[in-house]
Amino acid sequence: NARFNHVKADAHWQRVWEEQGSFHADDTSAKPRAYVLEMFPYPSGRIHMGHVRNYTMGDVLARFRRMQGHEVLHPMGWDAFGMPAENAAMEKKVHPGDWTRANIAAMREQLKRLGFALDWSRELATCEPDYYGQEQALFLDLYAAGLVYRKESAVNWDPVDMTVLANEQVIDGRGWRSGALVERRKLSQWFLKITDFAEDLLDGLKTLDQWPEKVRTMQENWIGKSQGMRFRFALDKPVGDIDGFEVFTTRPDTMFGASFSAIAADHPIAQALAANNPELAAFIEDCKRTGTAAAEIETAEKKGFDTGLSVTHPLDPTWKLPLFVANFVLMEYGTGAVFGCPAHDQRDLDFARKYALPVTRVVAPSPEEADAPIHDEAYVGPGRIVNSRFLDGLSVDEAKAAVIARGEGEGWGTGTTVCRLRDWGVSRQRYWGTPIPIIHCEACGPVAVPKAQLPVVLPEDVSFDIPGNPLDRHPTWKHVACPSCNAPAVRETDTLDTFVDSSWYFIRFASQPDDQPFDRAIAEKWLPVGQYIGGVEHAILHLLYARFWTRALERIGKISVKEPFTGLFTQGMVTHQSYFTTDPAGHVTWYEPSQVVIDGSTATERDTGIPIKIGRIEKMSKSKKNTVDPGPIVDQYGADAVRWFMLSDSPPERDLEWTESGIEGCWRFVNRLWRITEPGEAAEGEDKDLDRKLHRAIAGIAADIDALGFNRAVAKLHELANAIEKASPSASRDAAARTLIRLVAPMVPHLAEEAWARLGESGLVADAAWPEHDPALLVDDEVTIALQVNGKLRDTLVAPKGTDRAALEAMAMASEKIVRSLDGASPKKVIVVPDRLVNIVV
Ligand code: ANZ
Ligand code: ZN
């Protein structure tokens, strides 16, 4: 009895919860609702410690809200489409569907063994037609509303594998599998009009006061709204019939620091010039090899081609600037053309140094630095304008306004805003994704698949023996009749970006009818998600796409929610020491923690005894082999010890280091809780000090869980457990031990149920109410208050120091002796002197 039998208890209570449907969310409940959601996992094969941490946090909150009397929706599902399944198909010759579903089954069992309070009746997997078919319906609704369109766009093309690569599959400009140099190709692809919502997505960020500041800033930067100016450069000689072009700048204040102008490789002027300039044509080809990602453009070497042409500076007709075609100017942004100011822009500076162009400072932090030379770093800080004629002495903002006013007055430029955000390209040339429900007809063009024909189901009989998209080469799947003219036509063989799948799963969790994506009324009862918890790696794309998709549905009248997640929390990572050896050639071999025996500060290989080096403490990852599989740990220590570990020590937003000694400590604490809550002979007598500690813990822990400060709650539980252990037998101690069970129930639910049952309490602790604290016990100092009627002392009461007038008056009125001496008379006036007396005048 001294030890908590986690093997028996875990299995038992998990079965009881399941049988009783304890965590089913009731759509029709009249209770206040709480929607607690953790980012659903990709079914990669096994649950990892990062998942365990994420889901434990959400679970504590979900269980706590239930105890507080909320109807809680806490669902789980699978983000089941994506490339790893196709890779597995290629490497292991297993069908992506079989691989994915087997992984889901294994991971579901692992999650169940952790005892999460999930409503499994709402489980969904995005790879099943009942999910993605509804997604196709939503896609068609957005298409009908003009929020989806098709456009030519560049992709990364692997010429050896003959396949399109995602940005993350391009490593140092080469295909990750083939090693071939990746090319840029243009393909017709589908886009969602997220840019239509750019302003609204920005405005919405201001309302998200329960999101980390950091995440809001990241989204803001990603949308990248900038104030600027567009103006025209006149060419000294026309190119064909083009005699000038527009540039976009966010720094019109630096106009007098200009030393060149540059256009993108696919700018019409560059294209026209290349027609009879093979050298330029070759340069343009070369530019295509730099990837499309912004990060790549930042780091790539800045290269240009001098066209020999020049443009006229709009503020001085005698001033000519050379015109380059440059690899760092993008056609997709602004106007695809810039003026370069090397002193105040790093890319321009790198470029100017390479091509020996002038560098003139026009912004100085102080008057003394007006002519301070610029070395390797452009000056991007604040200051006043220098070397700039009529702008000299103005601040940056004043100078911007002055140049815009001049340009608008003289008709060569206008002030504007632009966003860096691009429309969302959702086409993927992949098999394992949601088929895009479009049919291409030669006569009719792209035609929506009629809703009655949804879902467009993926064919099962596909092969991955040769590279490319299996949907494209499937013998029959794509050949269909045109829905509008009945002529032979072909299906779209692209599938949707998996970020589309995760853009609305939280709505489908709230309501999942068979015949439509969701029932509006029911979905709106649950949404928005009150608390969303996940990794910061999703801070930009997933959250932005989900916010967009929800707004798009709102715009077309499907739902009246705009912000899907009111509260967001991004948790830290689980880390572990890493272990390695290096051979004489410097080659590193990593060792799994289970292969290593540690003794003090030295480590050896378990089997061979060879010395091993102890590496850094870093994020658990397969490549460093420093992962710890939760499965065997749960077997050994039980779900509660693992959950407790996940909540202890580190603040939840920080990294948490997994250690063997740490989990052992947790296991010991779970056993201590088991002993503390052991029923005994009922004791008598008050222990005011313990009462006070208990009530402070109740209030403090509730506040901590509310604020997701799990480690603080854990610390308070440790303190309380200590206090109970030290206390002599008393009624207070019995009550505290009993209450402790409810306080730990969200964190260590199996132990709590077992202890609750052992005490003979009825029902489940999962269904019990969160204990109420007595505010009077939260303050140390108590004072005795005199209760008077017409100035005569009739009673006294003990109240916490600082109790307010209204509360004192209420307490006085509740005194039996006062009621008796009032004898039905109604008070004319009540005088309250806080901490002293209440005098009732009749
Ligand atoms: C002149 C200048 C001077 C600029 C200076 C910056 C600093 P953000 O703020 O990120 O939006 N730019 C404009 N269009 C571009 C394109 N298609 N490809 C590459 N660069 C482009 O960046 C706006 C700035 O990026 C613009 O302001 C322009 O350079 C450049 F001291 O104009 B700037
Ligand atoms: Zn047709």
Side-chain angles (χ1 to χ4, degrees):
N1 201 23
R3 266 203 189 162
F4 171 58
N5 184 343
H6 66 77
V7 177
K8 230 177 98 207
D10 287 8
H12 174 71
W13 295 108
Q14 287 164 18
R15 203 183 54 244
V16 171
W17 294 326
E18 183 153 346
E19 281 169 3
Q20 302 201 2
S22 295
F23 308 120
H24 281 210
D26 179 0
D27 290 336
T28 63
S29 169
K31 295 182 194 168
R33 285 161 203 278
Y35 189 170
V36 178
L37 183 68
E38 300 95 54
M39 293 179 182
F40 66 163
Y42 177 77
S44 56
R46 298 194 64 76
I47 293 294
H48 58 64
M49 283 295 178
H51 293 131
V52 178
R53 191 175 188 202
N54 189 181
Y55 302 143
T56 301
M57 290 181 191
D59 201 55
V60 171
L61 186 65
R63 286 175 176 273
F64 173 64
R65 291 275 179 255
R66 275 178 55 79
M67 293 181 80
Q68 283 187 316
H70 288 83
E71 186 66 36
V72 173
L73 174 54
H74 185 217
M76 182 53 71
W78 311 95
D79 189 11
F81 273 138
M83 271 182 351
E86 289 191 46
N87 296 339
M90 284 181 261
E91 279 157 21
K92 301 183 188 131
K93 307 272 175 243
V94 8
H95 191 278
D98 296 342
W99 183 83
T100 305
R101 291 180 190 108
N103 287 347
I104 289 176
M107 290 169 78
R108 183 193 297 118
E109 283 321 298
Q110 285 188 295
L111 288 184
K112 289 196 170 176
R113 297 209 35 222
L114 281 151
F116 295 134
L118 292 162
D119 182 351
W120 284 103
S121 72
R122 296 180 189 238
E123 181 185 2
L124 59 81
T126 57
C127 66
E128 303 302 348
D130 57 1
Y131 184 83
Y132 70 69
Q134 300 300 344
E135 183 167 307
Q136 291 168 335
L138 291 176
F139 178 90
L140 292 177
D141 290 336
L142 298 182
Y143 184 45
L147 292 172
V148 177
Y149 66 96
R150 214 156 101 95
K151 172 181 96 169
E152 287 258 300
S153 161
V155 293
N156 304 305
W157 177 258
D158 184 323
V160 170
D161 273 357
M162 307 268 283
T163 187
V164 176
L165 299 179
N167 279 340
E168 57 274 18
Q169 292 176 302
V170 181
I171 296 154
D172 295 331
R174 292 174 182 275
W176 66 315
R177 216 169 250 290
S178 70
L181 274 177
V182 167
E183 295 168 8
R184 280 224 255 165
R185 271 215 182 171
K186 292 229 162 173
L187 284 185
S188 221
Q189 308 203 66
W190 293 97
F191 287 84
L192 298 184
K193 274 200 191 160
I194 188 171
T195 55
D196 258 31
F197 297 79
E199 286 285 336
D200 198 44
L201 286 165
L202 269 179
D203 288 345
L205 289 176
K206 296 189 200 105
T207 66
L208 297 175
D209 53 0
Q210 291 173 66
W211 278 40
E213 185 66 47
K214 177 183 65 179
V215 174
R216 285 192 284 164
T217 308
M218 283 161 89
Q219 294 227 342
E220 195 178 316
N221 292 341
W222 188 263
I223 297 168
K225 179 175 168 182
S226 48
Q227 299 290 336
M229 179 183 192
R230 280 170 181 251
F231 69 85
R232 215 181 122 75
F233 266 139
L235 280 164
D236 60 343
K237 304 202 275 280
V239 175
D241 52 9
I242 310 174
D243 61 358
F245 58 92
E246 282 226 306
V247 299
F248 167 69
T249 177
T250 47
R251 298 294 304 274
D253 56 304
T254 66
M255 285 275 268
F256 288 109
S259 62
F260 65 93
S261 71
I263 53 178
D266 30 10
H267 193 280
I269 295 178
Q271 297 290 326
L273 290 170
N276 34 40
N277 186 337
E279 236 186 300
L280 175 56
F283 176 77
I284 290 173
E285 271 308 299
D286 191 47
C287 286
K288 286 191 185 157
R289 272 190 255 289
T290 351
T292 53
E296 232 175 304
I297 291 181
E298 290 301 329
T299 53
E301 189 191 350
K302 310 290 172 288
K303 287 191 230 169
F305 184 95
D306 189 347
T307 62
L309 298 172
S310 58
V311 299
T312 305
H313 197 296
L315 290 169
D316 181 350
T318 66
W319 188 350
K320 305 291 172 191
L321 300 169
L323 174 63
F324 287 82
V325 178
N327 69 344
F328 65 90
V329 182
L330 300 174
M331 195 57 215
E332 291 79 28
Y333 188 55
T335 60
V338 303
F339 81 81
C341 174
H344 305 290
D345 181 281
Q346 194 59 42
R347 293 166 301 182
D348 294 349
L349 183 61
D350 297 344
F351 191 80
R353 294 293 185 224
K354 182 154 178 191
Y355 297 102
L357 297 162
V359 178
T360 312
R361 177 191 282 276
V362 291
V363 182
S366 71
E368 300 75 54
E369 289 161 288
D371 292 303
I374 301 282
H375 297 288
D376 300 339
E377 246 175 70
Y379 179 71
V380 295
R384 299 226 161 238
I385 305 297
V386 294
N387 304 321
S388 295
R389 308 183 199 183
F390 74 98
L391 299 176
D392 282 353
L394 299 182
S395 71
V396 165
D397 284 340
E398 288 162 355
K400 282 182 185 173
V403 172
I404 292 170
R406 167 88 62 121
E408 289 182 346
E410 295 175 355
W412 49 264
T414 44
T416 58
T417 61
V418 286
C419 285
R420 187 180 296 118
L421 183 68
R422 303 272 69 96
D423 273 339
W424 177 13
V426 292
S427 288
R428 295 293 179 273
Q429 294 70 32
R430 299 268 149 216
Y431 166 73
W432 196 233
T434 300
I436 295 178
I438 297 284
I439 291 167
H440 297 284
C441 168
E442 225 164 281
C444 314
V447 182
V449 172
K451 284 229 176 134
Q453 290 174 28
L454 295 181
V456 176
V457 177
L458 285 172
E460 286 285 322
D461 52 334
V462 285
S463 80
F464 293 86
D465 301 342
I466 36 176
N469 181 355
L471 288 181
D472 209 26
R473 57 169 189 269
H474 189 280
T476 55
W477 182 79
K478 71 176 174 185
H479 301 289
V480 288
C482 168
S484 75
C485 74
N486 220 22
V490 289
R491 285 193 190 285
E492 172 67 63
T493 57
D494 285 353
T495 52
L496 289 172
D497 181 359
T498 56
F499 275 118
V500 176
D501 309 335
S502 52
S503 286
W504 73 286
Y505 76 105
F506 45 89
I507 309 180
R508 182 82 180 161
F509 272 147
S511 158
Q512 43 186 294
D514 291 334
D515 57 347
Q516 53 175 330
F518 51 86
D519 176 292
R520 176 178 183 151
I522 297 173
E524 285 175 356
K525 282 189 184 179
W526 291 110
L527 287 164
V529 174
Q531 186 62 58
Y532 196 30
I533 309 179
V536 73
E537 66 275 17
H538 294 300
I540 301 180
L541 293 183
H542 161 57
L543 291 170
L544 194 64
Y545 291 148
R547 295 179 62 223
F548 153 67
W549 189 274
T550 308
R551 277 173 164 73
L553 295 183
E554 194 261 354
R555 184 182 289 182
I556 65 173
K558 293 258 160 206
I559 199 161
S560 61
V561 176
K562 274 173 120 183
E563 286 297 346
F565 317 114
T566 358
L568 173 72
F569 187 81
T570 53
Q571 95 267 10
M573 292 178 301
V574 184
T575 61
H576 195 282
Q577 234 166 17
S578 55
Y579 309 103
F580 67 103
T581 55
T582 31
D583 68 11
H587 178 79
V588 176
T589 310
W590 299 96
Y591 293 82
E592 284 171 23
S594 62
Q595 294 172 273
V596 181
V597 181
I598 315 255
D599 182 12
S601 58
T602 61
T604 49
E605 231 254 64
R606 189 176 296 279
D607 299 332
T608 61
I610 59 164
I612 291 207
K613 290 186 198 143
I614 297 181
R616 278 191 301 177
I617 297 163
E618 43 195 328
K619 179 186 174 174
M620 287 187 177
S621 76
K622 283 201 185 116
S623 62
K624 300 281 163 67
K625 291 205 181 169
N626 62 340
T627 57
V628 174
D629 185 359
I633 304 278
V634 174
D635 289 342
Q636 192 179 344
Y637 297 101
D640 289 339
V642 175
R643 295 167 60 109
W644 190 257
F645 186 102
M646 291 293 139
L647 303 164
S648 314
D649 292 344
S650 293
E653 66 279 9
R654 300 258 190 82
D655 289 354
L656 171 70
E657 189 195 351
W658 178 268
T659 60
E660 193 78 14
S661 57
I663 183 67
E664 271 164 18
C666 292
W667 179 80
R668 280 196 302 273
F669 185 73
V670 168
N671 279 292
R672 250 174 87 197
L673 288 173
W674 182 241
R675 287 191 301 273
I676 296 170
T677 56
E678 188 175 352
E681 214 52 24
E684 285 185 22
E686 262 194 319
D687 180 339
K688 264 279 161 209
D689 185 48
L690 186 61
D691 287 349
R692 228 178 255 132
K693 284 181 174 147
L694 173 68
H695 284 261
R696 254 189 257 156
I698 296 173
I701 291 163
D704 289 339
I705 299 179
D706 248 323
L708 309 179
F710 305 112
N711 60 315
R712 294 197 304 267
V714 161
K716 291 193 175 82
L717 286 166
H718 269 281
E719 256 176 63
L720 180 61
N722 284 340
I724 298 174
E725 268 176 337
K726 284 199 201 111
S728 321
S730 66
S732 296
R733 189 190 185 283
D734 291 352
R738 213 167 258 266
T739 305
L740 179 64
I741 299 173
R742 281 186 285 163
L743 296 178
V744 296
M747 287 114 169
V748 288
H750 308 87
L751 170 117
E753 293 293 4
E754 194 76 23
W756 191 250
R758 181 171 62 169
L759 281 181
E761 297 276 8
S762 66
L764 295 173
V765 72
D767 294 328
W770 184 256
E772 289 201 22
H773 69 264
D774 177 355
L777 289 170
L778 297 191
V779 264
D780 271 328
D781 294 332
E782 288 174 339
V783 281
T784 303
I785 309 279
L787 304 185
Q788 305 169 331
V789 175
N790 289 340
K792 282 208 189 94
L793 184 71
R794 298 294 180 189
D795 195 6
T796 59
L797 64 81
V798 177
K801 207 171 166 188
T803 302
D804 69 7
R805 287 164 194 274
L808 286 176
E809 183 176 336
M811 288 157 105
M813 291 306 193
S815 150
E816 244 173 290
K817 287 186 186 157
I818 294 292
V819 171
R820 232 180 300 131
S821 60
L822 286 176
D823 194 23
S826 59
K828 284 207 195 82
K829 194 165 145 198
V830 180
I831 301 155
V832 182
V833 182
D835 295 342
R836 300 281 294 281
L837 62 83
V838 179
N839 182 16
I840 300 160
V841 183
V842 293

